[in-house]
Amino acid sequence: MKKQMLKIEEMKKLQENIYSMTLTGDCSQISAPGQFINIRLSGFYLRRPISICSYSDRSLNIVFKVVGEGTRAMALLNPGDELDVLLPLGNGFDTEKCGKTPLLVGGGIGVPPLYGLACALSDKGIKPKVVIGFNTKEDIILTEEFCALGLDPIITTADGSAGIRGFVTDAMKNLDFDYVYTCGPEPMLKAVWETVPDGQFSFEARMACGFGACMGCSCETKYGYKRICKDGPVLYKEEIKW
């Protein structure tokens, strides 16, 4: 983990209340897709943890949704502004365990870290299948980015306004795969967990410190309590306890 000043290179609105932010600076310590950063914002006591969407040694991209005052303040930032960032945090996805036919399953704002994972797998010559779910067509993000990797994501919407009407598990029924990577809201993770043989699950949690000191994001697993920020956010299927 390193405290770093990063400069906003680009701010882009993707959908109503969903934004893409590209930051430049020393990002060379990021080691795995699925890790996150913790951003200090002026006027707020706690930092804001945001998953890394994609990254290189000199830049990273995050995609975030405005859900409270902190993310609302982030949406008002401009190119050229500098941010105090802790990075990289969390353990990320292990691409060595992907099997022969991996499937990426994302829900809502849990889709961005899976794009970074798709990039990493593609660099290894692996073309995963992708299912991404949203509430409505107005929430859909990153489809063009997945397509640019040669992947054609299957889209589901709860209201049927785009793609398959229903949930990601409905689309998964017709697919062949032997390993799953997934990130999204907890009800979705639980539904996926109940239907797959093996995989890695990225969890969201309220965090204070973001690096394991405060124990505020601890959750019970089959092997004892783990901190989502430090021991996660990625957990393996066999250790998850609902």
Side-chain angles (χ1 to χ4, degrees):
M1 179 188 71
K2 182 178 181 180
K3 181 179 176 181
Q4 187 80 3
M5 296 301 297
L6 300 181
K7 181 179 290 187
I8 300 176
E9 181 73 17
E10 182 184 58
M11 276 286 292
K12 184 165 58 175
K13 188 174 184 177
L14 302 183
Q15 291 282 19
E16 187 65 29
N17 290 330
I18 302 178
Y19 295 83
S20 168
M21 178 191 290
T22 300
L23 298 164
T24 58
D26 183 5
C27 303
S28 59
Q29 290 191 358
I30 301 171
S31 60
Q35 292 182 302
F36 66 96
I37 63 175
N38 220 3
I39 302 172
R40 180 180 294 282
L41 297 170
S42 178
F44 294 87
Y45 178 68
L46 295 178
R47 292 175 180 263
R48 262 52 185 181
I50 306 289
S51 296
I52 298 169
C53 179
S54 59
Y55 60 93
S56 67
D57 283 349
R58 295 300 305 167
S59 69
L60 64 84
N61 175 263
I62 59 174
V63 175
F64 65 94
K65 184 173 184 177
V66 174
V67 294
E69 293 304 315
T71 44
R72 185 170 291 109
M74 283 178 56
L76 296 176
L77 296 172
N78 297 297
D81 291 342
E82 287 195 330
L83 289 175
D84 178 330
V85 176
L86 295 178
L87 83 162
L89 299 172
N91 61 14
F93 293 107
D94 183 351
T95 60
E96 297 299 319
K97 299 181 181 293
C98 66
K100 294 182 179 180
T101 313
L103 171 65
L104 313 188
V105 182
I109 208 65
V111 171
L114 293 179
Y115 170 70
L117 175 59
C119 292
L121 292 173
S122 294
D123 288 344
K124 294 163 64 76
I126 299 167
K127 296 295 184 183
K129 298 176 182 179
V130 180
V131 175
I132 49 179
F134 306 91
N135 287 326
T136 73
K137 65 180 180 180
E138 285 78 18
D139 298 323
I140 296 174
I141 54 173
L142 300 179
T143 54
E144 292 182 2
E145 287 78 0
F146 279 109
C147 288
L149 295 176
L151 308 175
D152 187 12
I154 299 171
I155 297 170
T156 71
T157 52
D159 66 356
S161 55
I164 297 171
R165 183 185 184 93
F167 304 108
V168 292
T169 46
D170 296 314
M172 292 168 58
K173 294 175 182 177
N174 301 318
L175 298 177
D176 293 323
F177 56 89
D178 57 12
Y179 199 83
V180 167
Y181 296 93
T182 183
C183 182
E186 193 165 301
M188 187 205 82
L189 296 182
K190 187 174 188 295
V192 172
W193 182 89
E194 291 172 344
T195 62
V196 302
D198 200 4
Q200 297 173 40
F201 295 68
S202 181
F203 283 80
E204 300 173 351
R206 289 187 176 274
M207 298 177 186
C209 70
F211 47 85
C214 71
M215 306 297 290
C217 61
S218 296
C219 69
E220 187 178 6
T221 74
K222 293 180 181 177
Y223 309 123
Y225 280 89
K226 291 193 173 184
R227 299 157 294 181
I228 293 298
C229 68
K230 180 73 172 179
D231 306 310
V234 178
L235 300 177
Y236 291 91
K237 181 178 190 279
E238 68 268 16
E239 64 182 319
I240 296 170
K241 183 176 181 180
W242 298 104

